[in-house]
Amino acid sequence: SAVDALKLLIQNTAQVRHFVNIHSTTEYGVVSQALCAEITKHLKDFNILLVQLETRLNRQELTLQNMRFYLQRASRTMSALQHICYDIHMNKE
């Protein structure tokens, strides 16, 4: 359902943000910092998309179907990033 898809997107995004907050420090090395910098670019793009959607919502131009359409690519990207972050985190321990 649309709600489940949104929940998954939110969960994936939260996990990716958490990973970046932890792994962007110097103790994880420059490769990890570079990865986190690139992931941060995707997170910024996602934030821009959210602002655009909020603007459409405030103008009453956003339907649930439109929102699902606009979030499809972001959802796939966050899912892939979440899997990468999870794999890296699990291999560190």
Side-chain angles (χ1 to χ4, degrees):
S1 76
V3 173
D4 291 333
L6 286 174
K7 276 178 46 178
L8 183 59
L9 174 58
I10 292 165
Q11 289 170 344
N12 287 339
T13 304
Q15 290 171 1
V16 169
R17 288 183 196 279
H18 181 71
F19 176 89
V20 169
N21 287 337
I22 292 172
H23 291 265
S24 62
T25 61
T26 55
E27 70 182 85
Y28 287 95
V30 291
V31 173
S32 183
Q33 286 179 309
L35 173 63
C36 289
E38 291 302 313
I39 291 173
T40 298
K41 290 178 185 178
H42 288 284
L43 291 170
K44 286 180 181 178
D45 289 343
F46 181 64
N47 286 342
I48 291 168
L49 175 60
L50 292 179
V51 169
Q52 291 170 340
L53 290 176
E54 183 179 18
T55 301
R56 287 181 175 268
L57 179 65
N58 290 337
R59 293 180 184 164
Q60 298 181 355
E61 298 172 354
L62 186 67
T63 65
L64 184 58
Q65 290 296 79
N66 286 344
M67 185 173 64
R68 287 183 72 184
F69 174 76
Y70 291 126
L71 290 174
Q72 280 179 353
R73 184 173 178 195
S75 184
R76 287 192 302 270
T77 301
M78 274 317 145
S79 179
L81 289 174
Q82 188 276 337
H83 283 96
I84 291 168
C85 293
Y86 178 81
D87 288 345
I88 291 170
H89 181 72
M90 293 309 287
N91 286 330
K92 285 282 186 187
E93 295 181 355

